[in-house]
Each structure stands twice: as C-alpha cells, then as structure tokens.
Amino acid sequence: MAGMIASFAFPAFAQDAPMPANATARSYGEGWECDRGYRRDVDACLAIIVPENAYATNRTYGVGWECLHGFQEVDDATCLEVVVPDGGYLDSSGQRWNCLRGYTKVDDLCLEIDLPPNAYLADRGYGAAWLCDRGYEVEGDACVAIAVPENAFLNGSGYGQPWTCERGHFERDDTCECGFR
C-alpha cells in the first residue's frame, strides 16, 4: 500500500532524451554530455564557434572560449589585439596595458614625464609623478631651493615649515632669533 501511495505522490521522471550527435555517455551516473567544443542546448550539442585569436575553454558557463594573451574580448564575438603605445607594456592579464616608469597615461598614450631640475620620479601610483630633492620644494612646475635662515636647519617635515630653528633660537617672521621667549 505504501508503495502505491508513493507512486502517486512522486511522479515518474521522464527518461533522458536519446544521445545526440557530438555527445558521449557520462562516465558516472546516467545520461550524456557534449563533447569538447560543443555546448548543450536542450537535447542537442551545438558547436562553439571559437573566433580567431581565441581558444576553447570547455566550460559549461560563459561563451565557451577565451582570448589569447595580448587580445581582448569584444562583444562576446571576437578578440582584438591590445595595442600598446610607445612607453607602455602589456600587463600580466594580457588584456590591458600600463605605462613604464617615467611615463604617464594620457588617453591612449604614454607620455614621458618631464622632470624639472632638482627633481626625481616618485615611487607611488597616485599623486605627483615627481618630487623635489632634499632642500627644494615644489613651486608650480619647478623645484626651488628652500631658503633656510641663519641658525636653522632643514627638517624632514612633509608639511608646515621646512626648517627648524637651532636650539637656543626661536622663530620670528621667517628668521631664527637668539634668546629666550
């Protein structure tokens, strides 16, 4: 009796469709799967069209192919070469480019950074492309010497007054005067 009730409660599952062309029986369980280079579409295996400069991935998700290194996918249909400008290099993904050290990205170009005298290239990916040597400060597009008054020395401060009065002197009107306050 319980078997009869179960047969009504759980409808029978339809048998798998016959195996289509370009398919093989699964190595485990029942049913079939599409051969490499084909993708299942209901009860058929359709060929994956791999564009030029691409290779088949044999994945069940995505478009079924990826572009070769140095090419970029466009509209899920083609792979176009990544054009790297002079002063640039292809990044490790193979789909983008960056500028070499000493160059800056402007639109689709890498322009050489023009260093003013008494400057060096900055080692950071943000902010200014160059910094002034010690003893100089940025003024517009140049590095000008810091005027250190008598009885003072350069400090390492990146902000505020770039110099400090020596011991026994105090700051007054951009000078270092002797004596106590």
Side-chain angles (χ1 to χ4, degrees):
M1 185 72 153
M4 193 180 234
I5 294 172
S7 68
F8 291 116
F10 304 106
F13 291 101
Q15 294 291 326
D16 281 349
M19 187 170 17
N22 305 308
T24 53
R26 287 194 177 176
S27 58
Y28 59 91
E30 295 181 18
W32 51 268
E33 58 191 4
C34 293
D35 295 337
R36 185 176 183 92
Y38 294 85
R39 175 157 291 154
R40 188 171 187 155
D41 184 20
V42 188
D43 290 330
C45 290
L46 303 179
I48 295 172
I49 309 299
V50 179
E52 190 175 345
N53 302 312
Y55 61 93
T57 61
N58 199 33
R59 294 186 186 125
T60 57
Y61 57 88
V63 292
W65 52 267
E66 286 186 11
C67 295
L68 297 170
H69 189 83
F71 293 84
Q72 186 174 28
E73 184 178 323
V74 177
D75 299 328
D76 292 335
T78 188
C79 294
L80 295 180
E81 185 174 7
V82 177
V83 178
V84 180
D86 289 341
Y89 65 93
L90 192 62
D91 77 359
S92 61
S93 76
Q95 297 180 356
R96 291 176 297 280
W97 56 268
N98 293 314
C99 292
L100 295 166
R101 180 170 164 75
Y103 291 81
T104 188
K105 188 174 185 176
V106 177
D107 299 322
D108 292 333
L109 300 172
C110 288
L111 300 179
E112 191 169 4
I113 295 170
D114 186 24
L115 282 179
N118 304 307
Y120 61 94
L121 291 173
D123 283 333
R124 42 189 177 171
Y126 60 91
W130 52 266
L131 300 170
C132 293
D133 293 336
R134 179 166 168 76
Y136 294 84
E137 60 188 351
V138 176
E139 192 173 289
D141 289 334
C143 290
V144 296
I146 296 171
V148 179
E150 191 175 341
N151 301 314
F153 59 91
L154 285 173
N155 61 31
S157 178
Y159 57 91
Q161 191 69 277
W163 48 265
T164 303
C165 292
E166 294 175 351
R167 177 175 258 172
H169 297 82
F170 63 94
E171 183 180 340
R172 176 184 265 165
D173 299 327
D174 291 331
T175 64
C176 289
E177 294 183 4
C178 294
F180 297 98
R181 288 189 177 193

